[in-house]
Amino acid sequence: MPETIPPSTETVRELALSSLRRIGVVLPEGEGLHARTPITGETLFRLAATTAEEADLAVSDAVGAFETWRTTPAPARGVLVRRLGELLREHKNDLADLVTIEAGKIRSEALGEIQEMIDICEFAVGLSRQLYGRTIASERPGHRLAETWHPLGVVGVISAFNFPAAVWSWNTAVALVCGDTVVWKPSELTPLISLACSHLLDRAAADTGVPRDVHRLVLAGRDIGEMLVEDPRVALVSATGSTRMGRAIGPKVAARFGRTLLELGGNNASIVAPSADLDLALSGIVFAAAGTAGQRCTTLRRLIVHRDIADEMVDRVVAAYRKLPIGDPFSDSTLVGPLISRVAADAMTQALARAEAEGGKVLVGGDSRLSEEAPHASYVAPAVVRMPEQTAVVLEETFAPILYVLTYEDLDEAIALNNAVPQGLSSSIFTLDQREAERFLAADGSDCGISNVNIGTSGAEIGGAFGGEKETGGGRESGSDSWRAYMRRATNTVNYSSTLTLAQNVSFL
Ligand code: NAD
């Protein structure tokens, strides 16, 4: 497998400084946070973390800004988001560099992440004129029954390292046009891109005459995330990250009758049926399983192949894996960049050992790479493991590039395997048989929030609602009618007659 040598920490630091300078970010130097790059595994800058007092003030400021923002007409709120989209487009390359530097994404995927942000801004601007309520037929003469949608308040956005910018924009662009204000607690692993995004939104606010406090960034670890979770002034906590995190925060927000929008871990599968176009399936599988070094919530983690084609399909996947270029995410020839940390690499090693103990056979990958050139970084070869059945380790999300292969005989069995994990984010089937495709998409088919046909599990478009069921948390972000999660509904009955008629023919007085 070819390797591309990563640049030095000094080179990465210079690149980060140039991008930040062009965007206009001044780094808050101090203590509490390390801006680190997985490319070399070393620290680039030491930054001041937001204190508890500052975070408290950020929420107060966002509460204050909500007072005027909620009555600003929605199309006027869209003007702010349109300006943000323009600035993101202008700084697309610089922002993508920061995503590569902090999350380790290869260039094409980092650019894709910024494009996704531009797309959601465009979507949200359109949405700012389409926050529709319904008019409902009233049972009473001379009455109008309708529903209206109003802003919720402050939205606390807690985000994960692996989509350090896009997930923020999914939430923020939609929340802002809905009339909410936002306090963002990004992953402590990605402070630079967070500073850059927040700075561009501040600039957009200044350019459009909007109070800066409609959005506040708190740059800190999970302690400040916990503050947002406990704070009754935060109407909605939209949290993206591990199921462990969601399990910790969900009950706390529920206990104060706040709202949550949870986007948690996935354990995604693709079924490959005998009729499948295997060339198409191969491309879809390799991108979904090895792309982003297996660090997408929608990464393909389980391949469920029909017994008759399993050997051929697996041989082809293994052959493709042997050719995957690993290393410098800035190099155009690299397809697999670094894992975020040593902890992630250790989790992968442990999962592979468990898979072998549970009867699996590692067919390719799992070994670490570039240990001499970048001793503090974690480059690993994506692994394919053939499993005798869906054992305990396969039921867990290991956030690293491990593809478990299972076989099936009939489609019901394959769908049962797809659904027999605690998570329910993404799924797909490769088949040219329409009956199989429709069966997979039916009510007794895949139980996931995302079910695809003839593409892989990852790489969603912003126009659709994004999210999943079961331990994935049940939330929906991004497109379709996800905006409703950021607003409250009021049902209005207007009596324009001169008599007071009671519903259900009740008589009184
Ligand atoms: P993580 O759970 O470690 O951290 C995510 C965020 O939650 C961080 O900002 C962290 O500081 C914060 N946090 C953690 N515990 C908290 C607590 N108790 N209270 C408040 N805040 C807390 O996740 P990660 O390692 O950054 O990201 C990887 C995980 O995110 C994977 O499980 C992946 O599947 C998931 N993810 C899901 C989606 C989705 O849309 N479903 C998208 C991206 C990532």
Side-chain angles (χ1 to χ4, degrees):
M1 221 178 290
E3 285 164 356
T4 48
I5 311 296
S8 68
T9 300
E10 198 44 48
T11 305
V12 177
R13 188 179 290 125
E14 282 307 314
L15 200 57
L17 280 175
S18 316
S19 296
L20 291 164
R21 207 175 296 124
R22 279 191 293 272
I23 294 168
V25 175
V26 179
L27 289 179
E29 284 180 32
E31 288 306 317
L33 269 188
H34 286 210
R36 196 183 146 275
T37 178
I39 297 175
T40 63
E42 290 179 5
T43 296
L44 299 173
F45 310 102
R46 287 171 195 278
L47 304 175
T50 305
T51 62
E53 294 72 36
E54 289 165 342
D56 186 67
L57 194 61
V59 177
S60 305
D61 290 345
V63 169
F66 179 64
E67 290 304 311
T68 50
W69 190 239
R70 66 176 165 182
T71 52
T72 303
R77 299 193 293 244
V79 173
L80 167 67
V81 175
R82 185 169 66 215
R83 180 67 189 134
L84 173 65
E86 287 166 0
L87 290 171
L88 294 173
R89 199 181 285 277
E90 196 179 304
H91 290 285
K92 186 172 177 183
N93 282 320
D94 290 325
L95 292 163
D97 279 353
L98 294 173
V99 169
T100 298
I101 288 168
E102 284 192 308
K105 285 192 187 182
I106 62 168
R107 186 87 188 128
S108 158
E109 291 192 53
L111 283 165
E113 174 155 3
I114 310 306
Q115 185 57 48
E116 195 171 339
M117 301 172 76
I118 296 165
D119 293 345
I120 195 73
C121 286
E122 289 180 358
F123 178 89
V125 174
L127 188 62
S128 71
R129 290 182 184 270
Q130 298 176 73
L131 300 170
Y132 300 137
R134 294 168 208 251
T135 301
I136 301 150
S138 172
E139 66 188 45
R140 288 172 277 190
H143 284 62
R144 185 168 64 82
L145 184 57
E147 54 188 29
T148 44
W149 291 84
H150 300 295
L152 270 182
V154 177
V155 177
V157 176
I158 296 175
S159 56
F161 82 85
N162 67 322
F163 272 90
V167 167
W168 167 73
S169 67
W170 291 354
N171 281 286
T172 302
V174 174
L176 286 175
V177 298
C178 288
D180 301 319
T181 56
V182 174
V183 177
W184 180 24
K185 204 234 53 88
S187 167
E188 48 276 49
L189 301 176
T190 54
L192 301 182
I193 183 71
S194 313
L195 283 161
C197 292
S198 184
H199 178 78
L200 290 178
L201 183 48
D202 286 351
R203 266 181 64 190
D207 291 351
T208 53
V210 167
R212 177 180 169 271
D213 291 342
V214 296
H215 178 267
R216 295 298 308 270
L217 171 70
V218 291
L219 215 50
R222 79 171 55 161
D223 49 327
I224 297 294
E226 282 165 4
M227 272 185 66
L228 295 180
V229 165
E230 305 273 4
D231 193 331
R233 295 171 299 171
V234 178
L236 167 68
V237 176
S238 177
T240 304
S242 58
T243 295
R244 180 177 30 81
M245 176 275 285
R247 191 167 274 130
I249 75 167
K252 289 185 185 160
V253 183
R256 62 172 175 84
F257 296 101
R259 291 196 193 183
T260 50
L261 198 171
L262 299 176
E263 293 284 2
L264 310 174
N267 189 355
N268 317 296
S270 283
I271 296 170
V272 188
S275 71
D277 174 338
L278 293 193
D279 293 334
L280 192 93
L282 181 68
S283 309
I285 289 164
V286 177
F287 170 67
T292 332
Q295 299 172 109
R296 285 193 189 216
C297 51
T298 50
T299 288
L300 175 60
R301 308 201 180 278
R302 298 175 296 135
L303 189 63
I304 304 170
V305 199
H306 192 273
R307 202 176 57 170
D308 293 351
I309 53 161
D311 288 342
E312 183 188 354
M313 188 76 253
V314 171
D315 286 351
R316 292 184 67 179
V317 171
V318 169
Y321 265 53
R322 288 195 201 288
K323 292 195 211 122
L324 283 174
I326 299 168
D328 174 14
F330 278 113
S331 163
D332 286 342
S333 58
T334 299
L335 292 179
V336 180
L339 290 185
I340 190 71
S341 66
R342 185 65 55 80
V343 176
D346 289 347
M348 178 169 177
T349 308
Q350 283 161 18
L352 289 175
R354 277 180 64 196
E356 286 189 315
E358 291 170 15
K361 185 168 186 301
V362 178
L363 304 176
V364 65
D367 46 315
S368 66
R369 299 299 174 91
L370 296 159
S371 320
E372 282 183 20
E373 293 82 352
H376 303 293
S378 297
Y379 291 87
V380 294
V384 177
V385 189
R386 192 134 181 191
M387 297 301 294
E389 58 185 321
Q390 195 149 261
T391 61
V393 72
V394 184
L395 302 182
E396 292 174 19
E397 179 197 49
T398 301
F399 215 57
I402 303 176
L403 179 63
Y404 299 109
V405 182
L406 304 156
T407 52
Y408 77 93
E409 278 192 61
D410 68 72
L411 189 59
D412 284 346
E413 184 192 352
I415 291 172
L417 282 169
N418 177 78
N419 295 348
V421 292
Q423 312 82 355
L425 181 52
S426 186
S427 59
S428 83
I429 186 167
F430 289 92
T431 179
L432 298 182
D433 179 332
Q434 192 180 0
R435 281 188 187 156
E436 285 188 333
E438 294 294 340
R439 166 81 178 84
F440 179 72
L441 302 178
D444 58 350
S446 166
D447 65 0
C448 294
I450 298 170
S451 309
N452 299 330
V453 176
N454 289 325
I455 61 165
T457 52
S458 66
E461 299 177 22
I462 59 96
F466 183 92
E469 305 301 332
K470 303 189 293 187
E471 289 191 2
T472 302
R476 292 295 186 278
E477 286 174 357
S478 197
S480 186
D481 62 354
S482 303
W483 60 271
R484 289 169 189 241
Y486 301 83
M487 301 196 85
R488 64 182 174 84
R489 180 197 320 239
T491 301
N492 315 128
T493 308
V494 179
N495 177 7
Y496 59 89
S497 74
S498 50
T499 49
L500 190 79
T501 316
L502 298 179
Q504 293 91 38
N505 298 322
V506 172
S507 56
F508 199 81
L509 282 183

